[in-house]
Amino acid sequence: MISSSCLARTLIPAMAFLSCLRPESWDPCTEVVPNITYQCMEVNLYNIPENLPSSTENLDLSFNFLRHLGSHNFSKFPELRVLDLSRCGIQVIEDDTYQGLNQLSTLILTGNPVQHLDLRTFSGLSSLQKLVAVEINLNSLEDLPIGHLKTLKELNVAHNFIHSFKLPEYFCNLSNLEYMDLSNNQIHNIYHKDLQVLYQIPFHNLSLDLSLNKIDFIEPGAFKDIKLQKLVLRSNFDSMDVMKTCIQSLAGLEVYELVLGEFKNERQLNEFDKSALEGLCNLTIENFRIAFFDEFSLDDIGVFHCLENVSAVSLLNLYVNHLERIPKEFRWQSLELIDCDLEQFPTLTLSSLKRFIFTANEVSNTFGELDLQSLEFLDLSKNGLSFRSCCSSRDFGTVRLKHLDLSFNEVISMSSNFVDMEQLEHLDFQYSTLKRANAFSVFLSLTKLRYLDLSYTNTHVTFDGFFHGLFSLEVLKMPGNSFQGNSLPNILTNLGNLTFLDLSNCQLETIDPTALNPLGKLQVLNMSYNKLLSLDLFPYENLSSLQVVDVSFNRIVTLQIQERYHLPNKLTLLNVTQNDFACACEHQTSLQWIKDQRQLLVDVEQMLCATPAGMKGLPVLSFRNTTCQMSKTIISVSVLMVIMVSLVVVLVYKFYFHLMLLAGCKRYGRGECTYDAFVIYSSHDEDWVRNELVKNLEEGVPPFRLCLHYRDFIPGVAISANIIQEGFHKSRKVIVVVSKNFIQSRWCIFEYEIAQTWQFLSTCSGIIFVILQKVEKSLLRQQVELYRLLNRNTYLEWEDNALGQHIFWRRLRKALLAGKPQNPEGTPDADMQPEATSAM
Ligand SMILES: *[C@@H]1O[C@H](CO)[C@@H](O)[C@H](O)[C@H]1NC(C)=O
Ligand SMILES: *[C@@H]1O[C@H](CO)[C@@H](O)[C@H](O)[C@H]1NC(C)=O
Ligand SMILES: *[C@@H]1O[C@H](CO)[C@@H](O)[C@H](O)[C@H]1NC(C)=O
Ligand SMILES: *[C@@H]1O[C@H](CO)[C@@H](O)[C@H](O)[C@H]1NC(C)=O
Ligand SMILES: *[C@@H]1O[C@H](CO)[C@@H](O)[C@H](O)[C@H]1NC(C)=O
Ligand SMILES: *[C@@H]1O[C@H](CO)[C@@H](O)[C@H](O)[C@H]1NC(C)=O
Ligand SMILES: *[C@@H]1O[C@H](CO)[C@@H](O)[C@H](O)[C@H]1NC(C)=O
Ligand SMILES: *[C@@H]1O[C@H](CO)[C@@H](O)[C@H](O)[C@H]1NC(C)=O
Ligand SMILES: *[C@@H]1O[C@H](CO)[C@@H](O)[C@H](O)[C@H]1NC(C)=O
Ligand SMILES: *[C@@H]1O[C@H](CO)[C@@H](O)[C@H](O)[C@H]1NC(C)=O
Ligand SMILES: *[C@@H]1O[C@H](CO)[C@@H](O)[C@H](O)[C@H]1NC(C)=O
């Protein structure tokens, strides 16, 4: 019998294995777009994967080992649009393999050693537009069973063994064909009959690439009256003579674009002979391109005489000299010179030229003059040129220039502010070094300019009028420059049409809060890679079009979040990654804002704290504001404790004696009173005390015992201790003799203050005030406490007449008797019980 744990041990891996086979797992393929695109390139497949959803539209099965495709093998994927079967070692494609793929528009079969193609190999592909059958051992176009693919637009059969250019009958059915690549085959001869179908049905827009076929012979007139969109003949001829005859044989062809030349790594011809192009006079050409001729020299400009009426010429990778000899009357509208070798900058004079692209050429390093009166588009980028004086219409011989690209050159010295160049809309100086741009408002006249790229031009903006005049500017790229004081001043005032502003990498530390105010149409603001310490979006609240703000790679410690906060309402993307966020409680509003706005923020999970040390390297999102609450409490509690301790210290210091009293009270208790009253008086009133008070009370009936300091204080003991121990602790009551003298004597007041406390502590006893002489109210008021007590307690006034004195003594005795124990042993009063008990 199997124990249950044993069963579990076998079941769990089995279930795990089964769960791997659930349809959600596309292993070994990669899901690029869910349910749509699957990438199964080079994953050792021997079969078509079955676990992909039937909604798959794009399937890449390249570099596997499918070898044999059976019929209906793809019927599981009726939605397929693109199927890539490159280099799968496919040898057999059975009939009806692609049956059911009615949506398929692109089929790629590159690099399969297909042995046989049957009539029904491509059946069912009713929407196929592009068939790539490169390197599939194809011997002839006749073998390709595609006559029914009426939707086909592009057929690529390059790199096969096709030896005849004969276009088979079935091409009549392919009336949508636009592009056919026959390059790198074995076609040597082209005959008139090969192109027969092109006469039967006109392909007005067919492009043909015949490059890399070693063509020896073209039957003259083979292309007569044929119209092609494009004909490419590169690296086809192994001698100049063959080339010349073949081109002559193209007579009568009408082609929109003719491409001649060689490839960088496939060169057949050593020297170019100008006569080779003579045959072009019998062709109709719009665009002419020629590339990669080692020794292509324009020494004799006759080379181009058959091309005087073309509208566009491209010269790529040639050695070109004396371009200036091209006659003024040539009707060229566009001329491209790319990657060519020239001895000096060509001083061209071509009255019809509208577009001149002169880029990435090797040329001596100074810009010469151009005289191109129709020129609108000029690209002089990447030539390592220096411009001694830029820019005015005289330099280019045109007042129509709209597009000027001087990027990636050497030094450009600004000397004239675009005189007569008001039509300019696009100006690019990036990665060239601008000189003297601060001397005056360089761009003042460019009121139509919409695009200005000054990236990495070593410009240090010190002049407030730098951007003056650019009223129409929409895109301004300034990265890699700098501003005076590393601060962006308010110099963008004219740029109300700006939608894109790139100020990245400008070493900016601060931004004038009003600097961006004029930019009401701004959509993208890039201030990444600067040295900003904080970000305040508040000044941008009125930039109603702002969508993207990039302030990544700065030193931002915190975002300044204002009370009434309005984000620009179209803002959808804010990049504040790679900054130095301080994840401390003092910035918790900012950190909370980051959490609240995470939809807006780019890569918010990757944003890391830089300080404090404890948080360094942790995600900003991991900051918890509860710790702030806690530390707040801790701080407030400790502050409170410090305050209380100091208060206690102060109180202890202040009421040292009172505390001693309190201690004493506990010690002595009520029962040990030896005196009936402790008398507090000023020494000035001692006569009255001796003669009246002592006489009347101590010698009267019943006799009272008074504590008088002159008589009862123990000599040698500190006076304060005496007051407390002898005076208060051993007396039931305190008699305070109030007089003018008393109020003025500080000592008395001290004693009296202690008495007050004592009275407070031992509730039962009390202070009896004796007013010796009428005291002025104002004097009394100085002793606030005393004044208050006098008002609250009953007090006795000493009278001068006998009757008054009689009443006085009666009342005093009565007051002293109050609370005096009947019993000489001192049985405590009922309400004194607790204190008495605790004292024993
Ligand atoms: C993919 O298809 C499955 C089944 O048809 C469906 O449940 C799922 O929602 C789809 N997923 C997406 C991202 O469309
Ligand atoms: C492909 O077809 C072959 C032969 O018809 C068949 O054996 C094989 O199972 C099929 N494969 C798929 C994935 O349909
Ligand atoms: C052209 O298409 C028709 C029907 O679409 C077909 O019958 C005919 O065989 C095709 N022609 C060739 C040469 O394949
Ligand atoms: C002509 O063919 C080219 C591709 O070779 C294509 O881009 C262009 O749109 C086509 N023009 C027309 C008018 O069909
Ligand atoms: C142009 O073609 C005509 C006849 O087709 C021929 O006589 C003439 O020599 C050709 N011109 C050139 C320059 O090949
Ligand atoms: C160019 O056009 C002009 C006028 O249409 C014509 O006289 C001239 O022969 C043409 N040149 C060439 C090479 O076709
Ligand atoms: C924007 O450009 C237009 C056209 O150049 C101009 O008329 C308008 O004044 C500019 N707007 C601002 C705010 O400068
Ligand atoms: C901002 O500029 C930097 C580099 O200068 C660039 O990497 C980044 O993509 C730009 N940001 C946006 C949003 O375009
Ligand atoms: C935005 O506009 C409102 C209304 O014109 C104004 O009150 C506010 O001060 C402006 N905000 C900024 C930051 O300039
Ligand atoms: C900031 O994020 C945006 C959006 O992901 C991105 O395009 C931009 O390149 C980022 N900035 C930098 C400097 O990487
Ligand atoms: C602290 O975090 C909570 C929840 O994340 C939030 O509701 C609260 O407003 C935050 N408090 C402060 C002071 O930011």
Side-chain angles (χ1 to χ4, degrees):
M1 211 187 109
I2 306 169
S3 79
S4 59
S5 74
C6 217
L7 193 66
R9 246 182 276 147
T10 35
L11 272 181
I12 288 168
M15 280 162 70
F17 174 68
L18 281 176
S19 71
C20 283
L21 291 183
R22 281 180 313 159
E24 285 84 0
S25 149
W26 318 121
D27 227 20
C29 300
T30 312
E31 189 176 62
V32 181
V33 180
N35 289 358
I36 304 289
T37 303
Y38 292 88
Q39 161 77 261
C40 316
M41 182 179 161
E42 209 174 358
V43 287
N44 293 336
L45 287 176
Y46 286 86
N47 284 302
I48 295 149
E50 296 187 22
N51 49 359
L52 302 178
S54 61
S55 56
T56 304
E57 291 181 11
N58 304 320
L59 181 56
D60 181 356
L61 293 170
S62 59
F63 296 89
N64 286 297
F65 305 100
L66 300 181
R67 290 193 182 128
H68 186 118
L69 298 180
S71 69
H72 296 88
N73 265 192
F74 296 97
S75 54
K76 280 215 173 72
F77 309 109
E79 302 296 324
L80 272 187
R81 302 234 146 61
V82 178
L83 176 60
D84 188 346
L85 294 168
S86 300
R87 302 199 192 274
C88 283
I90 299 168
Q91 297 175 357
V92 179
I93 304 177
E94 284 182 14
D95 284 0
D96 298 326
T97 289
Y98 306 108
Q99 197 62 254
L101 300 186
N102 293 324
Q103 309 292 324
L104 197 70
S105 75
T106 300
L107 175 61
I108 303 173
L109 286 172
T110 300
N112 287 295
V114 182
Q115 287 167 353
H116 178 69
L117 293 170
D118 204 54
L119 255 184
R120 301 183 51 181
T121 301
F122 297 113
S123 67
L125 297 170
S126 57
S127 302
L128 199 68
Q129 296 193 355
K130 177 171 175 177
L131 175 61
V132 182
V134 172
E135 219 184 316
I136 60 159
N137 292 342
L138 198 63
N139 286 312
S140 118
L141 285 173
E142 296 281 1
D143 296 347
L144 207 55
I146 56 171
H148 61 290
L149 302 179
K150 295 186 174 169
T151 50
L152 204 63
K153 281 188 170 173
E154 187 175 334
L155 174 63
N156 189 339
V157 287
H159 221 287
N160 279 300
F161 304 105
I162 299 170
H163 44 75
S164 165
F165 183 53
K166 173 150 180 55
L167 301 178
E169 276 292 298
Y170 65 75
F171 270 76
C172 294
N173 277 357
L174 309 183
S175 56
N176 291 304
L177 202 62
E178 286 178 354
Y179 178 82
M180 177 153 74
D181 190 345
L182 273 165
S183 63
N184 216 336
N185 275 288
Q186 315 269 323
I187 298 169
H188 302 308
N189 304 307
I190 296 176
Y191 304 101
H192 188 265
K193 62 175 174 20
D194 294 346
L195 290 106
Q196 206 55 45
V197 324
L198 295 187
Y199 291 105
Q200 289 169 22
I201 98 133
F203 294 87
H204 289 301
N205 195 22
L206 181 63
S207 298
L208 260 181
D209 190 345
L210 288 169
S211 306
L212 294 163
N213 286 286
K214 191 181 144 309
I215 296 179
D216 299 322
F217 172 75
I218 297 179
E219 187 177 348
F223 287 87
K224 193 169 183 320
D225 296 332
I226 284 180
K227 276 190 190 170
L228 290 178
Q229 170 67 23
K230 183 172 176 179
L231 177 61
V232 185
L233 292 170
R234 290 175 74 175
S235 292
N236 287 104
F237 313 106
D238 60 4
S239 84
M240 221 60 228
D241 284 340
V242 177
M243 180 168 178
K244 184 178 169 182
T245 11
C246 284
I247 286 178
Q248 276 172 349
S249 306
L250 295 178
L253 173 67
E254 190 180 321
V255 62
Y256 183 78
E257 181 172 344
L258 178 66
V259 183
L260 296 179
E262 307 202 317
F263 291 99
K264 195 171 187 174
N265 302 317
E266 302 274 348
R267 302 195 193 217
Q268 320 272 343
L269 300 166
N270 285 328
E271 279 209 18
F272 185 80
D273 180 354
K274 60 170 181 160
S275 63
L277 299 185
E278 267 172 15
L280 294 180
C281 281
N282 275 349
L283 271 66
T284 311
I285 306 169
E286 275 301 301
N287 293 351
F288 177 76
R289 301 171 75 90
I290 188 160
F292 286 109
F293 270 123
D294 261 346
E295 298 288 321
F296 185 89
S297 170
L298 291 182
D299 275 351
D300 184 350
I301 210 61
V303 177
F304 287 135
H305 93 266
C306 288
L307 295 169
E308 66 173 295
N309 290 337
V310 305
S311 55
V313 173
S314 298
L315 308 174
L316 313 168
N317 268 283
L318 303 176
Y319 173 77
V320 193
N321 215 351
H322 304 304
L323 205 58
E324 59 277 7
R325 291 194 198 158
I326 295 174
K328 199 173 184 312
E329 316 77 58
F330 269 29
R331 300 195 184 163
W332 298 358
Q333 295 190 0
S334 166
L335 173 59
E336 282 179 11
L337 264 96
I338 298 171
D339 226 343
C340 290
D341 211 342
L342 295 94
E343 270 166 21
Q344 62 184 49
F345 189 84
T347 48
L348 270 185
T349 314
L350 266 172
S351 51
S352 57
L353 204 64
K354 288 187 177 160
R355 196 163 174 271
F356 184 31
I357 297 172
F358 183 88
T359 168
N361 295 300
E362 276 187 40
V363 61
S364 72
N365 64 354
T366 319
F367 170 71
E369 278 194 3
L370 292 169
D371 185 10
L372 303 167
Q373 44 184 280
S374 305
L375 201 65
E376 291 175 1
F377 185 106
L378 177 59
D379 181 354
L380 294 175
S381 61
K382 305 191 184 94
N383 296 310
L385 288 169
S386 282
F387 296 78
R388 294 213 188 93
S389 149
C390 174
C391 298
S392 90
S393 60
R394 262 179 296 126
D395 302 328
F396 314 109
T398 172
V399 292
R400 301 191 185 170
L401 212 55
K402 287 183 177 163
H403 180 113
L404 177 59
D405 186 347
L406 299 180
S407 60
F408 297 94
N409 279 298
E410 296 291 318
V411 176
I412 301 175
S413 185
M414 309 302 296
S415 59
S416 51
N417 54 354
F418 298 92
V419 180
D420 286 336
M421 294 183 71
E422 291 81 12
Q423 304 303 318
L424 217 51
E425 290 174 5
H426 182 111
L427 183 56
D428 191 344
F429 283 123
Q430 60 173 309
Y431 290 94
S432 298
T433 303
L434 278 196
K435 287 270 163 72
R436 308 209 293 143
N438 278 298
F440 50 99
S441 292
V442 195
F443 308 111
L444 192 64
S445 62
L446 299 182
T447 51
K448 290 188 181 167
L449 199 69
R450 298 203 302 209
Y451 180 101
L452 176 60
D453 192 342
L454 298 175
S455 315
Y456 300 94
T457 48
N458 284 315
T459 306
H460 181 65
V461 180
T462 57
F463 176 48
D464 276 357
F466 193 87
F467 296 110
H468 277 181
L470 295 168
F471 295 106
S472 306
L473 200 64
E474 286 165 15
V475 176
L476 175 58
K477 297 186 177 174
M478 280 293 287
N481 295 299
S482 57
F483 291 85
Q484 192 166 33
N486 290 340
S487 172
L488 180 71
N490 190 2
I491 58 169
L492 306 173
T493 42
N494 286 164
L495 309 184
N497 277 322
L498 207 62
T499 58
F500 181 99
L501 176 59
D502 189 347
L503 290 170
S504 59
N505 234 316
C506 285
Q507 299 170 42
L508 286 173
E509 286 163 10
T510 54
I511 310 272
D512 183 323
T514 60
L516 302 175
N517 279 1
L519 312 183
K521 293 186 185 168
L522 195 67
Q523 291 171 9
V524 178
L525 174 62
N526 194 342
M527 297 195 294
S528 59
Y529 297 97
N530 278 300
K531 297 175 180 169
L532 300 175
L533 290 175
S534 73
L535 173 67
D536 187 356
L537 281 172
F538 180 63
Y540 313 154
E541 69 169 347
N542 290 341
L543 303 185
S544 54
S545 308
L546 198 59
Q547 290 166 13
V548 176
V549 174
D550 191 347
V551 280
S552 53
F553 294 92
N554 273 281
R555 297 173 184 172
I556 295 172
V557 175
T558 183
L559 306 173
Q560 289 174 18
I561 309 300
Q562 311 261 354
E563 280 274 315
R564 38 177 213 94
Y565 204 80
H566 292 294
L567 280 175
N569 33 11
K570 287 193 184 150
L571 195 68
T572 51
L573 199 150
L574 177 59
N575 194 343
V576 279
T577 53
Q578 305 291 337
N579 276 294
D580 296 340
F581 281 102
C583 299
C585 290
E586 52 179 318
H587 302 306
Q588 62 167 312
T589 4
S590 159
L591 297 165
Q592 184 62 39
W593 188 87
I594 288 174
K595 279 184 202 174
D596 295 344
Q597 301 292 335
R598 61 176 83 188
Q599 279 89 353
L600 198 65
L601 296 167
V602 175
D603 276 346
V604 70
E605 288 84 10
Q606 319 294 324
M607 286 166 54
L608 303 179
C609 304
T611 52
M615 291 290 287
K616 194 176 162 85
L618 294 176
V620 170
L621 286 185
S622 70
F623 178 82
R624 293 276 169 270
N625 67 9
T626 46
T627 55
C628 298
Q629 242 67 45
M630 260 176 59
S631 53
K632 242 191 208 162
T633 2
I634 288 171
I635 288 171
S636 38
V637 163
S638 33
V639 164
L640 214 70
M641 289 212 1
V642 167
I643 291 175
M644 275 171 62
V645 165
S646 1
L647 208 71
V648 165
V649 167
V650 167
L651 284 175
V652 163
Y653 179 75
K654 183 144 187 226
F655 295 105
Y656 172 71
F657 291 115
H658 303 71
L659 283 171
M660 275 180 68
L661 261 178
L662 182 61
C665 262
K666 296 255 178 204
R667 209 141 34 88
Y668 293 105
R670 294 283 299 129
E672 292 178 30
C673 282
T674 31
Y675 303 107
D676 289 306
F678 172 55
V679 186
I680 298 173
Y681 59 96
S682 159
S683 54
H684 294 285
D685 302 321
E686 192 161 319
D687 278 351
W688 183 83
V689 171
R690 277 171 194 263
N691 297 332
E692 297 285 343
L693 195 68
V694 173
K695 231 182 220 155
N696 268 293
L697 293 180
E698 292 204 335
E699 290 162 19
V701 182
F704 293 98
R705 283 209 62 194
L706 299 179
C707 176
L708 299 165
H709 61 76
Y710 66 87
R711 188 180 68 192
D712 300 314
F713 276 12
I714 302 159
V717 177
I719 192 100
S720 52
N722 256 325
I723 292 170
I724 292 161
Q725 286 170 11
E726 293 300 313
F728 294 113
H729 288 155
K730 296 190 179 169
S731 308
R732 277 192 307 111
K733 305 243 164 174
V734 175
I735 296 173
V736 182
V737 182
V738 181
S739 67
K740 232 179 243 165
N741 300 324
F742 176 85
I743 289 168
Q744 280 159 354
S745 151
R746 302 199 129 258
W747 179 245
C748 291
I749 296 209
F750 169 68
E751 281 185 28
Y752 148 79
E753 268 182 8
I754 297 175
Q756 243 179 287
T757 319
W758 177 72
Q759 182 207 17
F760 171 74
L761 291 170
S762 39
T763 50
C764 190
S765 46
I767 304 179
I768 302 162
F769 291 96
V770 174
I771 311 283
L772 214 50
Q773 322 148 329
K774 279 269 184 248
V775 183
E776 280 166 35
K777 279 252 164 85
S778 61
L779 200 62
L780 251 179
R781 278 205 190 97
Q782 289 171 6
Q783 277 302 316
V784 182
E785 255 327 286
L786 183 58
Y787 182 68
R788 228 186 52 204
L789 276 170
L790 280 177
N791 274 339
R792 211 169 53 196
N793 295 7
T794 42
Y795 52 85
L796 310 173
E797 276 182 63
W798 177 248
E799 307 273 343
D800 282 337
N801 54 59
L803 180 64
Q805 286 180 3
H806 179 73
I807 296 168
F808 173 84
W809 291 122
R810 264 182 57 188
R811 287 177 65 193
L812 184 56
R813 279 167 179 283
K814 201 178 158 203
L816 281 174
L817 274 174
K820 181 178 168 127
Q822 257 75 42
N823 185 322
E825 265 79 68
T827 310
D829 291 326
D831 55 342
M832 291 304 299
Q833 195 95 27
E835 198 185 336
T837 325
S838 71
M840 282 191 236

